[in-house]
Amino acid sequence: MKKKRIAILGATGSIGKSSLDIICRDSENFEVVLLSGHCCREKLNVISKQFPSAVTVLTSEESGKEKLLKSVLETKPDITINGISGAAGLEPSIAAINAGSHLALANKETIVMAGELVIKLAKEKNINIIPVDSEHSAIFHLLKSFTQDNLISEIILTASGGPFRNKTLQELEKVTLQETLAHPTWNMGQKITIDSASMANKGLEIIEACIFFNMPIDKIKVVIHPQSIVHSMIRLCNGVIYAQLSKPDMRHPIHDAIYFPNTTPSSLEPLNFDCLTLEFFKPDTQKFPMLTFAQEAAKKGALYPCAYNAVNEEAVAAFLNQKIKFTDIPKITEQVLQSDWTGDCMNLETVLEADKKAREISKELVKK
Ligand code: NAD
Ligand code: MG
């Protein structure tokens, strides 16, 4: 069989690391043709030494972004794993689709910001977008078994609840950056770790599910599941629920994405049921209003999801730089979402403009 040519965008990050691990387990079938990283030159050099024939792009360099987009188009990978964090992942996703590359998509921002546009483009080009976000991967693979119309009555996203699940509102006011970065079940990049603590990650995922699976927002539920073993569930019209379970290890959804449409044996450690307890709780939207804001943004559609993502990214950056408190993240988000974000989400320029405008307003609010 001809080797599959793979691009790994964001190779220096957490998704990048897991992707490289999966690909190295099967070097007979995969060849890395493109690698990108942002500001970690050393780390990228170490990785690129392992794959001397791959094109390597450091996106933080001058014209680095343009070089990445051009390299995606030129290398024409069979599969592109997009593990870039944040809004910076959107244009590379579009470049991959334009290059005729299937997209293993960890970058949820691509769907939140411009999902309809990206999905339409992929359909036109006959490209598969396979979600890597564990919840969406679970639902995507579950849905393959249920293709009859009107069969799905609910998508149930699981959420670990993050490190502050049991804290009171008063306690949340005082949490430190260090406490926020200590996720109980997943080892991930900084941005998504903060988002897990504020539940903005689940907010983004509600929007991602709504757009990706073309489901009304009121059919997308969230349940807290601290063990992160059940990755998500679907409820059918007969009331029966189907779930996907595995160890919390992103190499599972990455494996499933790059072998899609096949289900292939993996050498990852299987889940063991000895001494396994699974718990489920209702999310507390009083404590975690980022969930409600995401639902509202998804309901309004247009550029509201894009604005939600942008303000959150700016607020998280400010929190990481210790300019604001953890509880300022939802406060700033609420204010930014009060602006008018109607507009055309099928037009990339309008989307990028909304992203920019939301960031400008957010930065002003951070200063105050
Ligand atoms: P990370 O911070 O560990 O890595 C991000 C990667 O993107 C790095 O290689 C970094 O150099 C690169 N990058 C950062 N800014 C960039 C920019 N402006 N332009 C180009 N590249 C840039 O993040 P991560 O945890 O691997 O997450 C990556 C994406 O995957 C995010 O969208 C996240 O929501 C999603 N995701 C991650 C996990 C996880 O377990 N880590 C799970 C589900 C979804
Ligand atoms: Mg997820």
Side-chain angles (χ1 to χ4, degrees):
M1 203 182 79
K2 215 174 136 241
K3 282 192 184 187
K4 287 246 187 309
R5 302 169 66 259
I6 299 225
I8 306 178
L9 313 186
T12 53
S14 158
I15 289 290
K17 185 173 173 217
S18 298
S19 302
L20 288 164
D21 178 281
I22 287 292
I23 287 162
C24 289
R25 286 167 190 245
D26 191 4
S27 49
E28 301 231 316
N29 287 311
F30 294 107
E31 179 193 351
V32 178
V33 295
L34 174 61
L35 292 160
S36 85
H38 199 58
C39 26
C40 7
R41 184 191 296 269
E42 286 304 304
K43 215 171 170 181
L44 189 62
N45 283 346
V46 172
I47 298 169
S48 73
K49 284 209 178 95
Q50 276 181 273
F51 307 97
S53 60
V55 175
T56 304
V57 183
L58 189 70
T59 41
S60 58
E61 278 186 339
E62 208 186 308
S63 310
K65 178 185 154 190
E66 288 70 29
K67 191 175 167 204
L68 177 62
L69 301 179
K70 195 164 158 252
S71 303
V72 171
L73 291 169
E74 282 174 359
T75 50
K76 294 196 186 336
D78 295 309
I79 305 171
T80 299
I81 302 177
N82 187 347
I84 292 174
S85 61
L90 172 60
E91 285 174 88
S93 286
I94 295 176
I97 297 170
N98 282 328
S101 170
H102 295 301
L103 190 56
L105 188 60
N107 179 266
K108 59 193 80 182
E109 295 82 357
T110 294
I111 300 297
V112 172
M113 293 173 73
E116 278 117 334
L117 183 164
V118 169
I119 291 165
K120 180 168 174 269
L121 184 66
K123 274 198 185 129
E124 284 165 7
K125 307 245 172 196
N126 226 348
I127 294 299
N128 295 323
I129 304 179
I130 309 115
V132 167
D133 208 351
S134 56
E135 298 76 5
H136 305 74
S137 166
I139 295 158
F140 180 80
H141 293 286
L142 285 167
L143 287 177
K144 285 192 294 191
S145 310
F146 303 103
T147 51
Q148 187 191 310
D149 281 351
N150 303 322
L151 206 55
I152 313 300
S153 68
E154 262 175 16
I155 284 177
I156 306 165
L157 299 175
T158 51
S160 72
F164 304 146
R165 184 167 65 86
N166 294 320
K167 288 220 184 296
T168 63
L169 255 178
Q170 283 99 322
E171 285 169 335
L172 281 184
E173 295 278 341
K174 294 190 203 92
V175 295
T176 64
L177 177 57
Q178 221 167 3
E179 289 171 296
T180 314
L181 285 171
H183 196 278
T185 50
W186 293 100
N187 186 4
M188 311 178 285
Q190 284 196 335
K191 157 74 170 47
I192 185 174
T193 304
I194 307 278
D195 284 351
S196 298
S198 69
M199 296 210 67
N201 183 49
K202 215 45 58 180
L204 291 168
E205 292 184 355
I206 293 175
I207 302 172
E208 184 187 5
C210 182
I211 299 174
F212 193 84
F213 300 111
N214 193 18
M215 287 281 273
I217 188 71
D218 49 302
K219 288 192 169 187
I220 296 169
K221 309 286 179 210
V222 173
V223 59
I224 303 294
H225 166 47
Q227 293 80 14
S228 305
I229 297 287
V230 176
H231 299 305
S232 274
M233 303 179 261
I234 52 175
R235 192 196 300 269
L236 303 192
C237 57
N238 62 358
V240 171
I241 292 174
Y242 289 79
Q244 190 210 55
L245 284 74
S246 75
K247 287 194 154 193
D249 182 338
M250 287 310 289
R251 291 175 301 176
H252 279 296
I254 292 167
H255 172 102
D256 293 345
I258 64 171
Y259 287 97
F260 180 81
N262 302 319
T263 303
T264 322
S266 96
S267 48
L268 298 172
E269 202 189 323
L271 177 66
N272 181 334
F273 279 94
D274 302 346
C275 297
L276 185 65
T277 305
L278 302 180
E279 298 169 293
F280 299 94
F281 305 99
K282 191 176 165 8
D284 184 339
T285 48
Q286 293 291 108
K287 256 165 46 182
F288 301 107
M290 290 302 280
L291 276 177
T292 312
F293 302 153
Q295 277 161 338
E296 288 166 1
K299 198 164 245 163
K300 288 183 178 161
L303 300 164
Y304 282 87
C306 175
Y308 175 89
N309 177 65
V311 52
N312 180 54
E313 265 187 46
E314 288 300 324
V316 169
F319 176 65
L320 278 166
N321 290 325
Q322 304 193 289
K323 286 187 184 148
I324 59 169
K325 287 194 299 186
F326 181 72
T327 42
D328 290 330
I329 298 172
K331 283 181 196 152
I332 293 174
T333 304
E334 185 172 28
Q335 286 195 54
V336 170
L337 287 174
Q338 274 159 8
S339 293
D340 179 9
W341 300 105
T342 52
D344 185 7
C345 63
M346 294 303 282
N347 178 332
L348 181 61
E349 247 172 72
T350 325
V351 169
L352 295 176
E353 255 168 47
D355 176 74
K356 191 167 160 228
K357 186 177 147 204
R359 283 170 200 273
E360 284 165 5
I361 307 174
S362 309
K363 280 187 185 133
E364 285 306 312
L365 293 171
V366 165
K367 274 190 212 153
K368 284 185 197 158

Coordinates of all heavy atoms in Angstrom, one line a residue, residues 40 46-47 57 66 96 116 150 159 161-162 171 183 193 237 240 248-249 282 293 296 302 309 316 345 352 354:
C40 N 8.5 27.7 19.3 CA 9.4 26.7 20.0 C 10.4 26.2 18.9 O 10.2 25.0 18.6 CB 8.7 25.6 20.7 SG 6.9 25.7 20.4
V46 N 14.2 19.6 16.9 CA 14.4 18.2 17.3 C 13.4 17.3 16.6 O 13.8 16.2 16.1 CB 14.1 18.1 18.9 CG1 14.1 16.7 19.4 CG2 15.2 18.9 19.6
I47 N 12.2 17.7 16.4 CA 11.2 16.9 15.7 C 11.6 16.7 14.3 O 11.5 15.6 13.7 CB 9.8 17.5 15.9 CG1 9.3 17.6 17.3 CG2 8.7 16.7 15.1 CD1 8.1 18.4 17.6
V57 N 8.0 24.4 9.1 CA 7.7 25.8 9.1 C 7.6 26.3 10.5 O 6.8 25.8 11.3 CB 6.4 26.1 8.4 CG1 6.1 27.6 8.3 CG2 6.4 25.6 6.9
E66 N 2.1 32.8 6.1 CA 2.0 32.7 4.7 C 2.8 31.5 4.2 O 2.3 30.7 3.3 CB 2.5 33.9 3.9 CG 1.6 35.2 4.1 CD 1.6 35.8 5.5 OE1 2.6 35.6 6.2 OE2 0.6 36.3 5.9
A96 N -5.7 23.4 3.9 CA -5.7 21.9 3.8 C -6.8 21.5 2.8 O -6.5 20.6 1.9 CB -5.8 21.3 5.1
E116 N -19.7 26.5 9.2 CA -20.5 26.3 8.0 C -19.8 26.5 6.7 O -19.9 25.7 5.7 CB -21.7 27.3 8.0 CG -22.9 26.8 8.9 CD -23.1 27.7 10.1 OE1 -22.1 28.4 10.5 OE2 -24.2 27.7 10.6
N150 N -33.9 11.4 11.6 CA -34.6 11.7 12.8 C -34.4 10.7 13.9 O -35.3 10.5 14.8 CB -36.1 11.8 12.6 CG -36.4 12.9 11.6 OD1 -35.7 14.0 11.6 ND2 -37.3 12.7 10.7
A159 N -18.1 16.3 30.2 CA -17.1 17.4 30.6 C -16.5 16.9 31.9 O -17.2 16.5 32.8 CB -17.8 18.7 30.8
G161 N -15.3 18.7 34.1 CA -15.6 19.7 35.2 C -14.4 20.5 35.6 O -14.5 21.5 36.3
G162 N -13.2 20.0 35.2 CA -12.0 20.8 35.5 C -11.6 20.7 37.0 O -12.2 20.1 37.8
E171 N -14.8 31.1 46.2 CA -13.5 30.5 46.1 C -12.9 30.7 44.7 O -11.7 30.9 44.5 CB -13.6 29.0 46.4 CG -13.7 28.7 47.9 CD -14.0 27.3 48.2 OE1 -14.6 26.6 47.3 OE2 -13.7 26.8 49.3
H183 N -4.9 20.4 35.5 CA -6.1 19.7 35.1 C -6.1 18.3 35.7 O -5.1 17.6 35.7 CB -6.3 19.6 33.6 CG -7.6 19.2 33.2 ND1 -8.0 17.9 33.1 CD2 -8.7 19.9 32.8 CE1 -9.3 17.8 32.7 NE2 -9.7 19.1 32.5
T193 N -6.4 24.2 28.8 CA -6.5 23.8 30.2 C -7.2 24.9 31.0 O -8.1 24.6 31.9 CB -5.0 23.6 30.8 OG1 -4.4 22.6 30.0 CG2 -5.1 23.1 32.2
C237 N -34.1 8.2 19.5 CA -35.5 8.6 19.7 C -36.2 7.5 20.6 O -37.3 7.8 21.2 CB -36.2 8.8 18.4 SG -36.1 7.4 17.3
V240 N -32.8 5.1 24.1 CA -31.6 4.4 24.4 C -30.4 5.2 24.2 O -30.3 6.0 23.3 CB -31.5 3.1 23.6 CG1 -30.2 2.4 23.7 CG2 -32.7 2.1 24.0
P248 N -8.6 8.3 29.0 CA -8.5 9.7 28.5 C -7.1 9.9 27.9 O -6.2 10.2 28.6 CB -8.7 10.5 29.8 CG -8.5 9.6 30.9 CD -8.6 8.2 30.5
D249 N -7.0 9.6 26.6 CA -5.7 9.6 25.9 C -6.1 10.1 24.5 O -6.7 9.4 23.7 CB -5.1 8.2 25.9 CG -3.7 8.2 25.2 OD1 -3.5 9.1 24.4 OD2 -3.0 7.3 25.5
K282 N -24.8 17.1 37.1 CA -25.4 18.2 36.4 C -24.4 19.4 36.4 O -23.9 19.7 37.5 CB -26.7 18.6 37.0 CG -27.6 19.6 36.3 CD -28.8 19.7 37.1 CE -29.7 20.8 36.7 NZ -30.1 21.7 36.1
F293 N -23.2 31.4 28.0 CA -22.9 32.3 27.0 C -22.7 31.6 25.6 O -23.0 32.1 24.6 CB -21.7 33.2 27.3 CG -21.8 33.9 28.6 CD1 -20.6 34.3 29.3 CD2 -23.0 34.4 29.1 CE1 -20.7 35.0 30.5 CE2 -23.1 35.1 30.2 CZ -22.0 35.4 31.0
E296 N -26.1 30.7 24.2 CA -26.7 31.9 23.6 C -26.0 32.2 22.2 O -26.7 32.5 21.3 CB -26.6 33.1 24.6 CG -27.5 32.9 25.8 CD -27.2 33.8 26.9 OE1 -26.3 34.7 26.8 OE2 -27.9 33.7 27.9
A302 N -24.7 33.4 13.3 CA -23.9 34.5 12.6 C -22.5 34.5 13.2 O -21.8 33.5 13.2 CB -24.7 35.8 12.7
N309 N -15.4 33.0 20.8 CA -14.1 32.5 20.8 C -13.0 33.5 21.0 O -12.1 33.4 21.7 CB -13.8 31.7 19.5 CG -12.4 31.2 19.4 OD1 -12.1 30.3 20.2 ND2 -11.6 31.7 18.5
V316 N -8.3 34.8 28.2 CA -7.4 33.8 28.7 C -6.0 34.2 28.6 O -5.2 34.0 29.6 CB -7.6 32.4 28.0 CG1 -6.5 31.4 28.3 CG2 -9.0 31.8 28.3
C345 N -21.4 34.7 8.3 CA -20.4 33.8 8.7 C -19.9 32.8 7.6 O -19.1 32.0 7.8 CB -20.8 33.0 9.9 SG -22.3 31.9 9.6
L352 N -13.0 37.0 9.9 CA -11.7 37.5 10.4 C -11.8 38.9 10.9 O -11.2 39.3 11.9 CB -10.6 37.4 9.3 CG -10.3 36.0 8.9 CD1 -9.2 36.0 7.7 CD2 -9.8 35.1 10.0
A354 N -14.6 40.2 12.3 CA -15.3 40.0 13.6 C -14.4 39.6 14.7 O -14.4 40.0 15.8 CB -16.5 39.0 13.4

